[in-house]
């Protein structure tokens, strides 16, 4: 099979894994978003390679994910994608429901997440900074006569847990979590962007008026919205200015609304200064430490059959430079390796199980799979942190 379908397969698998993880944690909105991204990759596979022997599997899997999305939406009293709300259409070739042009409701996911601090391995500095900026003021606002930060930037390599941190702090204050994909805003909201940005903040304020304790607006890929531009079309400029206006209005006239904007980016150096200074707290979400890598390996291998001679604290040294997402993917690849070896011996019945995962299995995978973050990127993060970090 060519490399192109292989890349799409891995993309679909990555988003599906994320969806299942968030689904199991009760983070419905984020799970829906990840399921939808996986479906989009599966649709591309089915369209580009209709004669591929796995095409039927792609379609079947996509339909299963769509059914799960519908079930999650029903739990949230959100109309099913199968209802005639003009937000989706069925692709005649695949039978999978495809998203049409996104509306406000399509790209803003509102939920009350169920993510606990102890579920996030490591990142103690980031956790502490978020609690100081959001949790403590929410508990005792009278202790903060000078106010507290409303704009917080989480930056660092991909796959380090920025979304989970934002969801955890929203859960910690029993607040609503509004998950916004900035790249979707810029690509699909042009023409009605200003109104939708205003609607986003108005919806958050309405939640507060209706009795919600707090609201966290999480903007992923914030550099897509606030990044530097050599040239801008009118729609882009207006939506950026509208966001500036709305962010300035959060703490206007001493209202001290319990409304927070958390931005996440893998490219902090691309942010314009007018936007950067709106994020009073700028928190580096770094790669996991040795202790954190050991804890992650314990977590990700807990359901796997690994050789008793493997000492995870020693194995963790081999994952220096790997993100948390990388470590999970390597553990997943180790399981896939031993399962594939079982199938290569013939279709196994239920009594047959894969062999134990050995240190050699991990070694072979690590030889083929390098960290997703280069040393040059890490130096860039370090340099930027020296100049702009604000814990």
């Amino acid at each position: 099979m060519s490399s192109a379908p292989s890349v799409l397969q891995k993309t679909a698998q990555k988003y599906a894994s994320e969806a299942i993880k968030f689904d199991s944690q009760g983070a419905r909105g984020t799970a829906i978003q990840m399921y939808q991204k996986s479906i989009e990759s599966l649709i591309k596979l089915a369209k580009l390679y209709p004669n591929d022997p796995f095409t039927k599997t792609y379609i079947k899997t996509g339909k299963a994910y769509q059914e799960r999305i519908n079930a999650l939406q029903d739990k949230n009293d959100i109309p099913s994608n199968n209802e005639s709300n003009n937000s989706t259409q069925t692709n005649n070739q695949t039978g999978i429901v495809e998203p049409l042009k996104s509306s406000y409701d399509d790209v803003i996911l509102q939920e009350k997440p169920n993510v606990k601090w102890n579920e996030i391995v490591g990142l103690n500095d980031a956790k502490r900074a978020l609690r100081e900026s959001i949790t403590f003021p929410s508990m005792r606002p009278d202790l903060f006569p000078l106010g507290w930060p409303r704009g917080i930037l989480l930056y660092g390599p991909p796959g380090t847990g920025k979304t989970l941190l934002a969801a955890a702090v929203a859960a910690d204050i029993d607040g609503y979590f509004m998950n916004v994909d900035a790249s979707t805003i810029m690509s699909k909201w042009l023409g009605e962007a200003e109104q939708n940005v205003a609607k986003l903040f108005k919806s958050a304020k309405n939640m507060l008026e209706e009795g919600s304790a707090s609201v966290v607006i999480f903007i992923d890929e914030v550099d897509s919205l606030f990044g530097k531009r050599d040239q801008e079309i009118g729609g882009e400029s207006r939506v950026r200015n509208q966001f500036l206006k709305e962010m300035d209005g959060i703490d206007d006239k001493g209202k001290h609304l319990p409304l927070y904007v958390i931005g996440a980016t893998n490219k902090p150096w691309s942010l314009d200064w007018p936007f950067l200074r709106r994020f009073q707290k700028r928190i580096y979400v770094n790669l996991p430490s040795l202790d954190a890598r050991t804890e992650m390996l314990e977590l990700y291998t807990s359901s796997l059959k690994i050789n008793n001679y493997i000492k995870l604290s020693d194995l963790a040294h081999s994952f220096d430079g790997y993100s948390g997402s990388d470590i999970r993917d390597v553990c997943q690849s180790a399981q896939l390796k031993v399962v594939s070896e079982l199938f290569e011996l013939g279709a196994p019945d239920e009594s047959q199980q894969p062999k134990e995962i050995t240190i050699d299995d991990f070694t072979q995978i690590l030889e083929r799979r390098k960290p997703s973050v280069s040393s040059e990127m890490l130096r860039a993060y370090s340099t930027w942190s020296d100049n702009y970090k604000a814990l």
Side-chain angles (χ1 to χ4, degrees):
M1 186 176 292
S2 67
S3 60
S6 177
V7 170
L8 282 172
Q9 284 176 345
K10 290 179 179 178
T11 300
Q13 184 182 51
K14 174 185 174 183
Y15 285 131
S17 297
E18 290 291 313
I20 293 169
K21 178 183 69 176
F22 285 114
D23 198 347
S24 66
Q25 294 172 344
R28 297 176 187 170
T30 308
I32 289 172
Q33 191 178 52
M34 294 296 105
Y35 280 127
Q36 288 173 334
K37 289 183 177 181
S38 182
I39 289 173
E40 289 174 3
S41 297
L42 292 168
I43 290 173
K44 288 180 183 178
L45 278 165
K47 285 182 175 180
L48 294 173
Y49 309 97
N51 298 322
D52 191 287
F54 293 99
T55 295
K56 290 183 180 179
T57 302
Y58 302 150
I59 296 172
K60 181 179 178 180
T61 303
K63 288 180 178 179
Y65 291 160
Q66 186 64 57
E67 290 173 2
R68 182 56 185 162
I69 288 174
N70 294 342
L72 290 172
Q73 288 176 324
D74 288 341
K75 287 183 181 179
N76 281 313
D77 295 324
I78 301 172
S80 167
N81 282 356
N82 292 330
E83 295 178 10
S84 56
N85 56 9
N86 296 323
S87 64
T88 59
Q89 69 177 6
T90 301
N91 180 275
N92 292 331
Q93 182 178 355
T94 65
I96 302 174
V97 177
E98 288 187 79
L100 290 174
K101 181 179 178 180
S102 294
S103 67
Y104 170 83
D105 294 325
D106 292 328
V107 296
I108 305 298
L109 300 172
Q110 302 175 12
E111 62 178 325
K112 275 205 167 184
N114 184 27
V115 181
K116 308 300 182 185
W117 289 120
N118 59 11
E119 296 174 8
I120 303 175
V121 178
L123 304 178
N124 293 326
D125 287 345
K127 292 177 188 177
R128 182 174 59 253
L130 286 170
R131 286 176 60 81
E132 291 173 351
S133 303
I134 297 179
T135 302
F136 298 159
S138 297
M139 295 169 62
R140 289 289 304 276
D142 59 297
L143 298 179
F144 299 84
L146 298 181
W148 54 88
R150 304 311 171 89
I152 297 172
L153 180 69
L154 302 176
Y155 67 94
T160 51
K162 293 183 283 292
T163 303
L164 277 178
L165 283 169
V169 76
D172 200 28
I173 59 176
D174 193 28
Y176 269 95
F177 186 63
M178 303 180 75
N179 195 340
V180 185
D181 188 327
S183 61
T184 303
I185 293 175
M186 295 309 292
S187 65
K188 298 186 179 181
W189 278 15
L190 293 181
E192 53 179 324
E194 293 168 89
Q195 298 92 330
N196 279 320
V197 170
K199 185 177 180 181
L200 167 64
F201 283 86
K202 183 178 180 180
S203 296
K205 292 173 182 177
N206 286 342
M207 289 181 186
L208 296 175
E209 291 175 359
E210 293 170 1
S212 178
S214 304
V215 176
V216 173
I217 298 175
F218 176 68
I219 306 174
D220 198 11
E221 298 183 22
V222 71
D223 49 279
S224 300
L225 182 61
F226 297 157
K228 298 173 184 176
R229 298 285 194 277
D230 293 329
Q231 292 182 335
E232 292 185 353
I233 63 175
E236 289 180 337
S237 178
R238 287 194 298 271
V239 68
R240 286 152 61 84
N241 290 336
Q242 185 68 34
F243 251 102
L244 283 175
K245 177 182 175 181
E246 296 292 350
M247 290 186 70
D248 287 341
I250 292 177
D251 199 17
D252 192 28
K253 300 177 183 178
K255 293 179 181 178
H256 295 304
L257 295 175
L259 172 58
Y260 306 90
V261 177
I262 300 179
T265 179
N266 302 330
K267 297 180 287 185
W269 43 80
S270 68
L271 294 174
D272 267 342
W273 177 247
F275 296 97
L276 189 60
R277 69 183 183 86
R278 263 70 175 190
F279 297 106
Q280 300 100 313
K281 285 280 187 178
R282 297 181 286 276
I283 304 169
Y284 185 20
V285 185
N286 204 347
L287 295 177
S289 65
L290 176 61
D291 289 343
R293 296 197 300 271
T294 301
E295 193 174 343
M296 287 178 181
L297 285 170
E298 291 173 351
L299 173 65
Y300 298 137
T301 62
S302 60
S303 59
L304 306 181
K305 184 181 178 182
I306 66 171
N307 188 281
N308 292 330
Y309 290 103
I310 295 180
K311 191 174 182 180
L312 295 180
S313 57
D314 291 340
L315 180 60
H317 285 278
S318 302
F319 285 89
D320 186 24
Y322 286 74
S323 69
S325 178
D326 290 336
I327 293 171
R328 185 186 65 244
D329 289 346
V330 170
C331 293
Q332 183 185 73
S333 295
Q335 178 65 9
L336 291 174
K337 181 178 182 295
V338 295
V339 170
S340 296
E341 290 172 356
L342 179 64
F343 272 88
E344 287 171 1
L345 299 174
D349 58 40
E350 294 184 1
S351 66
Q352 296 174 288
Q353 296 296 321
K355 71 177 184 66
E356 291 181 335
I357 298 172
T358 67
I359 192 68
D360 288 339
D361 294 318
F362 280 110
T363 300
Q364 291 175 32
I365 293 167
L366 289 172
E367 288 175 351
R368 301 193 306 267
R369 184 184 181 89
K370 301 304 178 183
S372 59
V373 183
S374 67
S375 56
E376 289 77 10
M377 286 181 64
L378 292 176
R379 284 194 291 270
Y381 288 121
S382 179
T383 300
W384 196 88
S385 294
D386 289 342
N387 293 320
Y388 299 106
K389 180 171 66 174
L391 285 176

